[in-house]
Structure formats: structure tokens, C-alpha cells
């Protein structure tokens, strides 16, 4: 009995130690960004044109990437969640690849597909579209890397909707679209919102694929992570300010994600 | 009237429904009873149109809603069949209030607002939940949720009401009290209904007729007494919890006939059979009398032919108001006693007891 109590305590101490180690490991570098922040320099840096343009490019491209991912990702997720067909698991796996793919590889893949010398690049060029070096390329890189987060989250949300609720609605309502809009969508909305937020956050933080595919042109393709990288050498304070902004945004997004994860529609879902 | 003709349904390699043929008369309440996994819910889903049968035809009021018409395959969509469906866990929309749940089907039909409001009020009156209009489902008790689910199903004035174990999500005590309540709600409705349950007592209380299902087939269909008194197969008898035996007729000419179960000879009311023929006998546990004396004199049994056997108690299961006692008389026979009789007899495992039952209590099954 005594021995069991001692081993129980030992396990708790070990667990607490492991937990504290990770909390320190994660929070120390984050704290370091804020500790090195010169508050007197904050406002002037926020007015710095390079910082401002990077912030604008990031917000605009991330928002477009998220919107596009939402428009195409939600139907895809719904199809995968509600229909059984041949090749479903292959499609599911293919859509998940960007999550595990190194961003640099994603950049190379996008270049090989869409660059003027790529597979469909020459066709695009005929229509006057040259993607590398354009803001559209940033959006495409972000969609490629971030949309699987939305699809994954939306698919799980659709799968979690009780089939009997949908069946009850189908018996009472002849319109499939109305059943989707009145039952499936509200009951899965917290999952969809969480996925959307995750996609936006991942787009905001995208670096490797954007650098490889879109390049690093200030005001056009230079996003916040790219600006942080560039400013690191020439203006460390500006880089620090941008990092702090990204941390605040990321923290806000994660907080929102957790709140939405718990959100219920006046009822237990 | 609802008619199912030779319905077959297979899920991957399991045949869930095998040639199910069934008729439910207009305004009749038919219960389908059977153990879990015997195909009851699949049958409801097929009738409702939520899934299609592989073979067979379904008619609702003589209109083909599923099946082949010439070379054309007909499948009327669930919402066009005029069906009200109460699901096992009620399936109330959790993000909608009670009134929104009830009016869901009415709004889909684009009825005028004042008509919807009128209908909601009359249904709330009917289910006795006028004060809960603005409640969300999770704010209601199980019994109240079940009533709202019924109101939602009835709101569209269904031709057919399907109820899939509507009381199974309730605790046993509430279920028992709500059973009668539910019957009183259903009785004046005058709507053809199919009620699925695995609880025989529930089926007996609520329905006009009962269909016993087993392994994808309807084993027997009949009224309460037909099912309880004359089970037509070993499966139904086992489902009812009866004593079931394989016997051989040794003397058909005598009245009652002499039948052997194992090495034990008993008297049974066999008609139209010959010596050596195999039969299946069933008897209800409550028809078996146990006593400590060799002969009991039950005035009710006066003039009846009785079987008198002796054996040792091999098992006892005590329940809330009765006890089931298994006695080895050469074959195992189970008797159900009231708790007071059980205590009076001072029964314990291994004790020698006398077993008596009327020959007329035995039922001869078809197979």
C-alpha cells in the first residue's frame, strides 16, 4: 500500500516535471520576443512602410486564401464526410499531404506546376498570367499549405452531426439544400469556424512555399514571415515588432479556436 | 393500409431482411418486437424511404412507394411518403426550441404562419407541454422530449406513423409509467402506426397486433393472445421466455397423448399426429406449479389432467416481484413463482420439489 502511494507520487512528480519543462521550452522564446521589445520603438516601427506593407499583404492574401479554401473546401469536406465511394480514402490522403509536406517541397511543386516553364505555366502565360512574383502566387501557396486544415476540421464536424437528425429532417423536408442549411450547417458550424480560423492562422504564418513560389517582393509578395526574415539582418527591431504582432495574432486566433471549440448553440450538441 | 411484399435487404455480406411480407391495416397499431439486430429498424428505414430495399415492394394506401413498376424502379422520397417518424433517441434538433422543432415540417411545406401557429398550439395542448414552447430539447426531461418528438411527427398529419423504440432511452421506472401515458396519446389519433420495440410487455400494452421478428424474417404475427398463448415456432417461444422442448409422441391414441421428452413421459394435448412423430412443446413458466407435497389439490384444476414430476432445484433467479426456479426433472423446467410462494416453499438449490402442470397448458409448435 505504502509502496503504491510512493510510486503514485513519483509518477505525478515526473508528469509535472515533463509538463513544466515543455511550458518553459515553449513560453521562454515567446517571452523573449516581448522582453526584447522596445515599447518606445513600437509606434514608429508600426509606421515603417515595409512593416505596414508586409502586414497588409499578409492580411489580404490570408483572407483570400481562407475564403477560397472555404468555398471549395466545405463541399469537398461534405462529400468526403457523407458519401462512400471508390477512391474516397485516396482522395482523403491526397488532400492531407500538404499538412506533412515540407513547405519548401510545396514551393517546388507549385513552381513545377504553375511557373512559366512548369506543366500548365505555358498555358497560363498565353492568357497573360505569370504566377511567380505575383500576389496571386502568395494566395495559391497559402491555399495549398493551409486548406487541408479547413477540410479536415469541416469533415470531422460534418461526420459528427447525428445521422438521425439529418434523417428526421429529410423525412419532414423535401429540399436537400434546406436540410443542409437548417440542420447540418448549424450543427457543424463550430467545427467549420474553427477550421476557418486555423486555415487563416496557417496562411498568416506561411513562409517556405511562399518564398519558393511567389518570391520576396516588398509590397507584392512579401508577407509578414518573409519580412521578419529579411529585416532580421538589416533592422532587427522591426523584425522583433513584426514577430510580436504575429505572436499576438496567433494567440488571439488560438484563444478564439478554443472558445469556438466549446461553443454550443443554446443546447448540448 | 401499408403493405410490404417480399422485402429483401443486404448490407455488405449480411442479409438483414429476408422476404419480409407484412400488412398493417388502416388505423391499426402494429408492434414489431424482436431482439437487437434482427432488422426492425432497417425495416422502418425502408418503409420511410431512408434506405431502399434490394428487392420487394412497399405500398402505402395501395400506392407503390418502393419497388418495380414494369421496368421502372420506383423510390418515392421520404418527405413525399406522408410519414411521421419518431426516432429511438427522439432526434430533436438541439439548436431549435420546442416550437421550432414541431413546426419544422410545416415550414418546409410553406404553410401560412397563422396556420403553423395554430397547429403548434393544438399539438402542444395535445402533448401537455404548453409551458415549454421556448425550451431547448436539453432543458426537457426524457419523457417530455419523447412527447415533442411525437408532436413533431404528427404535425404534418402523417398517413403512417413510425415509432422506433421511442421509450427505450428512458429509465425503466419512467418507461413503465410513460407506457400507459403513451398508449393514451396514440389511441385517439386514428393513424396507422408501426411501433418497434424489443420489449414484449411494451408491445402488449400499446398495440393492436404484434409481429415477432427474428434474423430478418417475421416469425409470427397476431394479436396479443395469439402470440402469447400459441407461439408458432421455437424461435418465438424462446423469445417469449417459455420452456421449449423437443418431444416424441409415444402414444397418440390416448387422450391426452403420451409424449417423451428425453426419457421422461408426459401428457400433452396432441391432435392429428401419429406415434413416433417429433413435436415441439412449449409451456409458460407461470403455468408450472412447484410444491413440497406429492399432490397439491388446486380447486381450479379439478377435472384437469395433470403432469406430476419430481426433480431437484438447479437454479434460482430472484426478481423484483417474482422468482424463476429451474428444476431438473430429467429435463430442465423453469417455473415462475410469486415471491411469497417462493418464500413459503423455502426453496434452495438442490432441494427436491414436486413439479405439476396441466396437460392443457402445453402448446404444440409448428417448428
Amino acid at each position: 500500500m505504502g509502496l503504491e502511494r510512493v510510486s503514485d507520487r513519483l509518477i505525478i512528480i515526473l508528469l509535472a516535471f515533463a509538463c513544466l519543462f515543455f511550458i518553459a521550452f515553449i513560453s521562454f522564446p515567446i517571452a523573449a520576443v516581448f522582453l526584447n521589445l522596445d515599447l518606445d520603438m513600437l509606434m514608429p516601427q508600426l509606421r515603417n512602410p515595409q512593416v505596414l506593407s508586409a502586414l497588409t499583404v499578409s492580411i489580404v492574401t490570408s483572407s483570400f486564401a481562407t475564403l477560397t479554401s472555404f468555398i471549395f473546401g466545405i463541399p469537398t469536406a461534405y462529400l468526403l464526410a457523407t458519401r462512400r465511394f471508390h477512391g474516397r480514402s485516396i482522395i482523403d490522403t491526397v488532400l492531407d499531404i500538404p499538412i506533412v509536406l515540407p513547405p519548401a517541397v510545396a514551393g517546388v511543386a507549385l513552381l513545377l506546376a504553375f511557373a512559366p516553364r512548369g506543366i500548365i505555366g505555358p498555358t497560363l502565360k498565353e492568357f497573360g498570367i505569370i504566377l511567380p512574383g505575383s500576389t496571386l502566387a502568395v494566395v495559391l501557396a497559402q491555399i495549398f499549405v493551409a486548406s487541408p486544415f479547413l477540410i479536415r476540421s469541416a469533415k470531422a464536424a460534418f461526420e459528427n452531426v447525428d445521422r438521425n437528425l439529418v434523417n428526421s429532417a429529410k423525412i419532414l423536408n423535401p429540399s436537400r439544400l434546406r436540410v443542409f442549411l437548417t440542420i447540418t450547417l448549424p450543427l457543424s458550424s463550430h467545427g467549420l469556424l474553427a477550421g476557418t480560423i486555423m486555415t487563416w492562422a496557417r496562411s498568416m504564418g506561411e513562409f517556405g512555399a511562399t518564398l519558393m513560389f511567389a518570391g520576396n517582393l516588398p509590397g507584392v509578395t512579401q508577407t509578414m514571415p518573409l519580412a521578419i526574415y529579411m529585416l532580421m539582418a538589416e533592422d532587427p527591431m522591426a523584425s522583433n515588432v513584426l514577430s510580436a504582432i504575429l505572436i499576438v495574432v496567433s494567440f488571439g486566433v488560438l484563444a478564439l479556436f478554443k472558445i469556438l471549440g466549446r461553443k454550443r448553440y443554446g443546447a448540448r450538441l | 393500409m401499408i403493405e410490404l411484399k417480399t422485402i429483401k435487404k443486404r448490407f455488405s455480406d449480411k442479409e438483414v431482411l429476408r422476404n419480409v411480407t407484412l400488412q398493417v391495416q388502416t388505423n391499426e397499431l402494429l408492434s414489431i418486437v424482436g431482439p437487437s439486430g434482427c432488422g426492425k429498424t432497417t425495416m422502418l428505414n425502408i418503409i420511410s424511404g431512408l434506405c431502399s430495399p434490394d428487392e420487394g415492394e412497399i405500398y402505402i394506401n395501395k400506392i407503390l412507394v418502393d419497388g418495380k413498376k414494369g421496368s421502372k424502379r420506383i423510390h418515392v422520397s421520404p418527405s413525399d411518403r406522408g410519414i411521421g417518424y419518431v426516432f429511438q433517441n427522439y432526434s430533436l434538433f438541439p439548436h431549435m426550441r420546442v416550437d421550432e422543432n414541431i413546426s419544422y415540417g410545416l415550414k418546409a411545406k410553406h404553410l401560412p404562419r397563422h396556420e403553423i401557429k395554430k397547429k403548434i398550439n393544438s399539438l402542444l395542448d395535445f402533448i401537455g407541454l404548453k409551458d415549454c414552447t421556448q425550451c431547448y430539447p436539453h432543458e426537457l426531461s426524457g419523457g417530455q422530449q419523447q412527447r415533442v418528438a411525437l408532436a413533431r411527427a404528427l404535425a404534418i398529419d402523417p398517413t403512417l406513423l413510425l415509432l422506433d423504440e421511442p421509450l427505450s432511452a428512458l429509465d425503466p421506472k419512467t418507461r413503465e409509467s410513460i407506457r400507459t401515458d403513451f398508449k393514451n396519446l396514440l389511441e385517439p389519433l386514428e393513424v396507422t402506426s408501426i411501433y418497434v420495440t424489443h420489449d414484449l410487455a411494451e408491445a402488449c400494452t400499446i398495440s393492436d397486433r404484434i409481429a415477432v421478428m427474428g434474423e430478418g424474417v417475421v416469425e409470427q404475427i397476431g394479436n396479443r393472445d395469439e402470440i402469447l398463448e400459441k407461439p408458432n415456432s421455437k424461435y418465438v417461444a424462446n423469445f417469449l421466455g417459455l420452456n421449449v422442448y423437443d418431444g416424441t409422441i409415444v402414444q397418440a391414441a390416448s387422450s391426452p397423448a403420451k409424449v417423451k421428452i428425453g426419457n421422461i413421459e408426459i401428457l400433452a394435448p396432441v391432435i392429428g399426429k401419429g406415434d413416433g412423430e417429433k413435436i415441439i412443446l412449449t409451456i409458460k413458466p407461470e403455468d408450472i406449479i412447484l410444491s413440497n407435497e406429492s399432490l397439491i389439490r388446486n380447486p381450479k384444476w379439478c377435472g384437469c389432467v395433470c403432469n406430476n414430476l419430481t426433480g431437484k432445484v438447479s437454479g434460482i433467479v430472484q426478481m423484483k416481484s417474482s422468482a424463476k426456479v429451474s428444476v431438473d426433472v430429467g429435463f430442465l423446467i423453469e417455473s415462475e413463482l410469486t415471491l411469497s410462494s417462493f418464500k413459503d416453499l423455502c426453496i434452495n438449490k438442490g432441494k427436491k420439489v414436486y413439479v405439476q402442470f396441466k396437460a392443457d397448458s402445453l402448446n404444440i409448435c409448428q417448428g
Side-chain angles (χ1 to χ4, degrees):
Chain A
M1 190 71 183
L3 202 66
E4 266 177 31
R5 249 186 218 174
V6 171
S7 68
D8 277 357
R9 274 190 189 170
L10 197 67
I11 287 168
I12 289 166
I13 289 167
L14 284 172
L15 290 175
F17 177 75
C19 185
L20 282 172
F21 172 77
F22 265 106
I23 289 170
F25 182 71
I26 303 288
S27 56
F28 180 66
I30 293 170
V33 170
F34 289 97
L35 289 171
N36 281 318
L37 202 64
D38 185 350
L39 287 174
D40 295 335
M41 292 294 289
L42 187 64
M43 284 319 287
Q45 284 299 343
L46 279 174
R47 280 194 289 269
N48 177 339
Q50 199 175 351
V51 170
L52 267 180
S53 77
L55 194 63
T56 311
V57 169
S58 271
I59 289 172
V60 170
T61 55
S62 299
S63 302
F64 268 107
T66 306
L67 184 69
T68 315
S69 300
F70 191 89
I71 292 168
F72 290 98
I74 297 299
T76 308
Y78 184 73
L79 186 77
L80 289 171
T82 57
R83 292 277 181 273
R84 299 283 173 269
F85 52 87
H86 289 295
R88 180 177 163 272
S89 59
I90 295 170
I91 294 173
D92 205 20
T93 312
V94 168
L95 290 173
D96 277 346
I97 287 175
I99 292 177
V100 291
L101 206 65
V105 179
V108 170
L110 286 166
L111 274 174
L112 290 173
F114 301 112
R117 287 183 194 171
I119 295 171
I120 60 165
T123 318
L124 292 171
K125 202 177 174 183
E126 276 177 31
F127 290 96
I129 303 167
I130 298 171
L131 286 173
S134 70
T135 311
L136 183 59
V138 180
V139 176
L140 289 181
Q142 288 171 342
I143 292 171
F144 186 84
V145 171
S147 62
F149 289 95
L150 177 67
I151 294 171
R152 184 158 275 274
S153 178
K155 185 173 160 258
F158 288 137
E159 279 171 344
N160 281 337
V161 175
D162 183 352
R163 290 302 303 161
N164 276 347
L165 292 176
V166 179
N167 284 339
S168 298
K170 272 187 191 169
I171 284 171
L172 298 166
N173 201 330
S175 161
R176 279 196 174 195
L177 181 65
R178 273 175 181 272
V179 170
F180 178 78
L181 293 175
T182 54
I183 306 298
T184 313
L185 201 59
L187 294 178
S188 54
S189 57
H190 59 285
L192 303 187
L193 275 170
T196 308
I197 290 165
M198 285 293 281
T199 302
W200 191 77
R202 179 68 187 86
S203 299
M204 282 288 282
E206 210 319 283
F207 178 80
T210 312
L211 184 64
M212 298 284 286
F213 182 49
N216 184 22
L217 302 171
V220 184
T221 65
Q222 192 179 66
T223 57
M224 295 247 287
L226 293 180
I228 291 169
Y229 179 69
M230 292 307 294
L231 289 168
M232 200 62 193
E234 52 194 74
D235 189 355
M237 186 44 69
S239 170
N240 202 357
V241 169
L242 275 178
S243 301
I245 293 169
L246 266 189
I247 290 171
V248 170
V249 168
S250 306
F251 186 80
V253 162
L254 269 180
L256 201 61
F257 178 73
K258 297 242 171 184
I259 292 164
L260 288 171
R262 277 191 233 119
K263 177 116 176 114
R264 296 293 183 266
Y265 291 80
R268 274 178 302 198
L269 301 182
Chain B
M1 189 178 83
I2 315 302
E3 201 176 356
L4 276 73
K5 281 186 180 170
T6 58
I7 296 293
K8 285 184 186 175
K9 182 72 186 172
R10 176 181 279 276
F11 288 124
S12 51
D13 45 351
K14 197 191 173 199
E15 201 167 19
V16 185
L17 296 177
R18 294 182 284 155
N19 277 327
V20 172
T21 296
L22 194 73
Q23 265 191 10
V24 190
Q25 301 304 321
T26 307
N27 297 344
E28 183 187 24
L29 199 161
L30 175 84
S31 277
I32 298 175
V33 288
S36 300
C38 72
K40 307 184 296 281
T41 299
T42 303
M43 202 202 289
L44 285 198
N45 285 341
I46 283 177
I47 295 171
S48 68
L50 288 172
C51 70
S52 301
D54 296 335
E55 281 177 47
E57 291 158 1
I58 301 169
Y59 295 87
I60 297 179
N61 286 343
K62 295 189 176 170
I63 296 165
L64 181 70
V65 292
D66 243 315
K68 274 191 174 172
K69 198 173 190 180
S71 59
K72 212 174 153 192
R73 178 108 207 144
I74 305 277
H75 176 79
V76 175
S77 72
S79 58
D80 292 334
R81 295 188 181 202
I83 281 174
Y85 199 147
V86 178
F87 285 83
Q88 193 167 3
N89 52 2
Y90 320 128
S91 292
L92 294 176
F93 307 131
H95 57 304
M96 292 183 191
R97 295 187 305 266
V98 165
D99 57 342
E100 291 169 324
N101 261 287
I102 296 174
S103 64
Y104 187 81
L106 301 171
K107 281 180 185 163
K109 282 186 170 182
H110 304 291
L111 291 184
R113 265 189 193 178
H114 67 274
E115 230 173 275
I116 293 177
K117 207 172 176 188
K118 205 172 140 189
K119 188 91 188 178
I120 292 173
N121 284 335
S122 75
L123 282 163
L124 283 168
D125 241 358
F126 171 67
I127 59 169
L129 287 177
K130 267 214 139 152
D131 300 331
C132 302
T133 326
Q134 299 299 309
C135 293
Y136 282 99
H138 76 274
E139 293 167 333
L140 304 173
S141 70
Q144 287 172 323
Q145 286 186 38
Q146 168 249 312
R147 281 162 172 263
V148 176
L150 180 65
R152 186 179 66 183
L154 292 172
I156 57 161
D157 294 323
T159 315
L160 172 65
L161 183 63
L162 303 177
L163 304 118
D164 188 6
E165 305 199 28
L167 306 183
S168 68
L170 303 170
D171 62 89
K173 200 179 168 192
T174 316
R175 187 160 66 215
E176 214 163 287
S177 69
I178 281 186
R179 200 184 282 164
T180 324
D181 206 22
F182 205 64
K183 180 186 164 67
N184 294 338
L185 276 177
L186 291 174
E187 227 164 29
L189 288 177
E190 293 191 347
V191 56
T192 312
S193 310
I194 299 179
Y195 187 102
V196 157
T197 177
H198 58 258
D199 186 341
L200 186 67
E202 202 170 294
C204 289
T205 312
I206 282 172
S207 47
D208 302 319
R209 280 195 309 152
I210 298 168
V212 181
M213 266 194 84
E215 298 292 317
V217 288
V218 175
E219 293 277 349
Q220 188 176 358
I221 186 161
N223 62 35
R224 182 183 180 278
D225 292 342
E226 283 165 349
I227 299 285
L228 294 180
E229 303 297 331
K230 297 274 174 200
N232 68 354
S233 69
K234 216 172 180 175
Y235 179 89
V236 177
N238 277 322
F239 180 74
L240 297 174
L242 308 185
N243 291 294
V244 186
Y245 306 106
D246 291 312
T248 310
I249 301 171
V250 287
Q251 201 176 324
S254 65
S255 181
K258 286 181 181 170
V259 178
K260 260 193 165 179
I261 301 170
N263 292 322
I264 308 296
E265 203 171 275
I266 62 161
L267 301 169
V270 180
I271 298 164
K273 303 265 180 187
D275 287 357
E277 272 193 65
K278 305 276 183 200
I279 55 168
I280 294 164
L281 299 127
T282 67
I283 186 163
K284 291 186 211 164
E286 55 268 35
D287 287 341
I288 311 283
I289 302 294
L290 301 185
S291 70
N292 291 326
E293 297 164 29
S294 60
L295 261 178
I296 57 158
R297 300 200 182 278
N298 188 334
K300 282 184 190 169
W301 287 16
C302 196
C304 294
V305 183
C306 284
N307 286 293
N308 297 297
L309 305 166
T310 55
K312 276 186 179 173
V313 174
S314 61
I316 300 166
V317 180
Q318 280 196 66
M319 289 167 294
K320 199 176 118 194
S321 55
S322 63
K324 283 192 172 173
V325 180
S326 300
V327 183
D328 189 352
V329 291
F331 54 86
L332 270 185
I333 193 160
E334 194 176 70
S335 166
E336 188 168 344
L337 310 172
T338 60
L339 271 188
S340 62
S341 304
F342 174 75
K343 280 173 188 162
D344 288 347
L345 290 168
C346 301
I347 288 176
N348 49 43
K349 223 171 170 181
K351 184 179 177 177
K352 185 185 170 189
V353 286
Y354 293 89
V355 177
Q356 296 182 313
F357 51 92
K358 285 196 289 182
D360 285 348
S361 303
L362 284 157
N363 168 56
I364 315 298
C365 277
Q366 301 307 311

